[in-house]
Amino acid sequence: LRNLASMFSTSMRPSQKVDCPSKVPRICSKLRASWFCVNIKPRDVRKMNLISPTGVEVNIGETLQPDEYIGMCRREILDKYIRDRAIEYGAEIVNGLVTAIDVPEGHKTNEEPYTLHYQEFVEGSSAGVAKTMDVDVIVGADGANSRVAKAMDAGLYNFAIAFQERIKISEEKMEFYEEMAEMYVGDDVSPDFYGWVFPKYDHVGVGTGTVVNRPAIKQYQKAIRDRAGDKIAGGKIIKVEAHPIPEHYRPRRVQGRIALVGDAAGYVTKCSGEGIYFAAKSGRMAAEEIVAIMKGGSRLPTQAEIEDTYIAKYDKLYGPTYAVLDILQKVFYSNNGAREAFVELCNSKYVQQVTFDSYLYKRVQGNNPLDDIKLLGETIGCLIKGYANAKPDAEFSNPIESQKRLG
């Protein structure tokens, strides 16, 4: 069998990717090494400040237990750690850029190898060396603009643009964000998502995202800086980041012996925009299931076997979470009235408990039926109040760009 433990790293330099938000709530629980917990997630968020379109603020986090937190990571540190850990466990790292993938016509029924064409880079040289590699199985973890997905005809998906500025603020101002993250909603910062200020070690990440009006992303970024106001005033922008964020699964996540994981597969949740946990989890699940099917390298997996194991198990675990968060985003991020209702609802300790439990443990929690009925009534009341008090959303038009969206 060919190259079972090769991993392509498109760059050995620090990642420039935006995580939206950059949270690693449960990865750390699986990797309890002190180095990981201190260096990869140097900020533990235990309080969240939600700010409505009219400026109403709600602080949440009182329901968290002492050992519960949202770890704020920096991708340039996390990615290096994961890459180094893969090397430690025996992976062969190729510092290269895949330029093309030859997919045999009958790859779904025969065992012909796939051929990777790539440029391999060496330290001290900006020019790559053209090489090829034959492989039996491909796991595409190459992000939202996945070349693997294109080669296997995985289909298209809608995507948001996430934009973030890393801003260095004074130590005095940074004290406010010691364990605090902020989330701003309103059509000024995003017509269908939210804006954020998250602590990142010795600076803050300030950003926003949108699907429906991507050309206006810099306008929304200016608005989130303005909304944060004095809390980040005088700060210096030290890095600007932007990245596409998938809005739903790819139509086809497995073709023959090619499988997609992470952003390449579309594993980003609505409402929160989180993808890093699901990228790590899906990568591990795909690898474990494929290795088990191959029985020590004695045979190759089929498409049906990968779908019946990795895909079926992943969807059973996390399908309900994606569905619920999709509904919540459509209900509460669609206009200023709904956003006002969302913030007011978060005053409820029950809402906070369910929200954090579902987020931290990646399950739609089984809740108290009586409290759920009460919450339904409160939701209707908050929506009525929100629609009565909120200003109408500003109209926008981007007919050319909007044609790029599906559905």
Side-chain angles (χ1 to χ4, degrees):
L1 297 178
R2 306 167 184 87
N3 295 300
L4 295 183
S6 293
M7 184 175 82
F8 276 81
S9 176
T10 55
S11 175
M12 301 299 279
R13 295 171 295 179
S15 170
Q16 301 298 310
K17 182 178 177 181
V18 178
D19 265 319
C20 178
S22 295
K23 303 172 183 175
V24 283
R26 295 298 292 171
I27 295 176
C28 193
S29 69
K30 302 296 184 183
L31 301 168
R32 280 295 180 189
S34 60
W35 190 96
F36 182 94
C37 292
V38 171
N39 293 279
I40 287 191
K41 45 149 230 55
R43 292 280 178 178
D44 295 342
V45 167
R46 291 182 169 85
K47 294 177 287 185
M48 177 78 78
N49 194 29
L50 306 182
I51 301 96
S52 79
T54 59
V56 174
E57 297 189 17
V58 172
N59 291 309
I60 66 175
E62 294 180 18
T63 62
L64 288 176
Q65 299 301 312
D67 62 343
E68 292 180 323
Y69 54 82
I70 298 172
M72 311 302 291
C73 74
R74 289 178 293 165
R75 286 297 302 273
E76 64 268 28
I77 306 298
L78 175 62
D79 289 5
K80 182 180 185 302
Y81 172 83
I82 293 175
R83 184 169 55 243
D84 291 346
R85 192 167 180 264
I87 295 171
E88 179 185 341
Y89 278 80
E92 175 189 339
I93 299 293
V94 178
N95 183 18
L97 175 66
V98 175
T99 55
I101 302 173
D102 294 340
V103 178
E105 185 175 345
H107 73 113
K108 294 182 181 181
T109 56
N110 62 38
E111 296 188 353
E112 287 187 67
Y114 303 104
T115 300
L116 305 179
H117 299 262
Y118 63 98
Q119 295 286 322
E120 184 170 5
F121 299 96
V122 296
E123 189 173 350
S125 175
S126 59
V129 178
K131 293 188 177 183
T132 63
M133 178 187 296
D134 287 343
V135 297
D136 292 310
V137 178
I138 299 175
V139 177
D142 50 339
N145 294 320
S146 172
R147 192 176 296 274
V148 175
K150 183 177 180 180
M152 66 182 270
D153 189 27
L156 302 177
Y157 50 26
N158 288 326
F159 64 92
I161 287 294
F163 191 95
Q164 177 175 269
E165 295 167 325
R166 305 272 195 105
I167 300 179
K168 178 77 172 178
I169 57 179
S170 68
E171 291 184 9
E172 181 181 1
K173 292 181 183 292
M174 199 68 202
E175 289 179 3
F176 175 77
Y177 294 105
E178 180 67 26
E179 292 185 336
M180 172 72 77
E182 290 191 302
M183 175 178 169
Y184 294 80
V185 290
D187 69 314
D188 56 335
V189 298
S190 176
D192 56 335
F193 202 53
Y194 63 89
W196 64 84
V197 181
F198 293 139
K200 300 273 189 175
Y201 185 52
D202 61 351
H203 60 279
V204 291
V206 182
T208 185
T210 179
V211 175
V212 300
N213 198 18
R214 296 186 293 240
I217 189 65
K218 291 188 177 179
Q219 168 191 325
Y220 299 134
Q221 181 65 17
K222 180 182 182 302
I224 183 61
R225 288 198 308 266
D226 292 343
R227 289 276 295 272
D230 290 341
K231 285 176 281 191
I232 63 170
K236 178 183 178 181
I237 298 175
I238 58 176
K239 183 183 287 187
V240 178
E241 303 161 312
H243 201 77
I245 303 295
E247 282 291 291
H248 52 80
Y249 291 179
R250 293 268 189 187
R252 294 171 291 280
R253 290 169 283 163
V254 179
Q255 292 278 67
R257 287 165 282 118
I258 308 176
L260 299 176
V261 299
D263 284 16
Y267 294 155
V268 176
T269 58
K270 294 288 189 72
C271 211
S272 70
E274 184 201 358
I276 186 60
Y277 172 85
F278 299 102
K281 184 65 174 180
S282 62
R284 169 168 284 185
M285 289 180 69
E288 289 177 344
E289 296 300 332
I290 290 172
V291 167
I293 294 168
M294 295 176 73
K295 296 181 178 178
S298 62
R299 61 184 296 270
L300 293 180
T302 65
Q303 177 173 328
E305 288 173 327
I306 299 173
E307 289 174 336
D308 291 343
T309 54
Y310 155 53
I311 294 294
K313 290 180 180 180
Y314 187 89
D315 288 350
K316 182 178 180 180
L317 274 175
Y318 302 115
T321 299
Y322 285 99
V324 169
L325 291 177
D326 186 16
I327 294 170
L328 290 178
Q329 178 163 319
K330 289 175 180 176
V331 171
F332 290 112
Y333 288 178
S334 57
N335 58 70
N336 283 335
R339 297 179 191 111
E340 291 286 347
F342 166 68
V343 173
E344 183 175 353
L345 277 171
C346 287
N347 266 314
S348 164
K349 295 296 185 292
Y350 180 64
V351 170
Q352 294 184 30
Q353 181 73 56
V354 171
T355 298
F356 276 113
D357 282 356
S358 297
Y359 179 79
L360 290 172
Y361 302 102
K362 307 304 176 195
R363 300 285 191 279
V364 178
Q365 298 297 308
N367 305 313
N368 187 314
L370 292 178
D371 284 338
D372 286 341
I373 294 172
K374 180 181 177 182
L375 178 59
L376 176 61
E378 291 176 349
T379 301
I380 294 172
C382 288
L383 285 170
I384 293 172
K385 181 180 176 181
Y387 278 98
N389 295 336
K391 65 177 182 178
D393 286 50
E395 295 185 4
F396 62 86
S397 176
N398 58 345
I400 295 176
E401 198 274 344
S402 66
Q403 293 176 5
K404 299 177 183 178
R405 299 197 303 273
L406 305 176

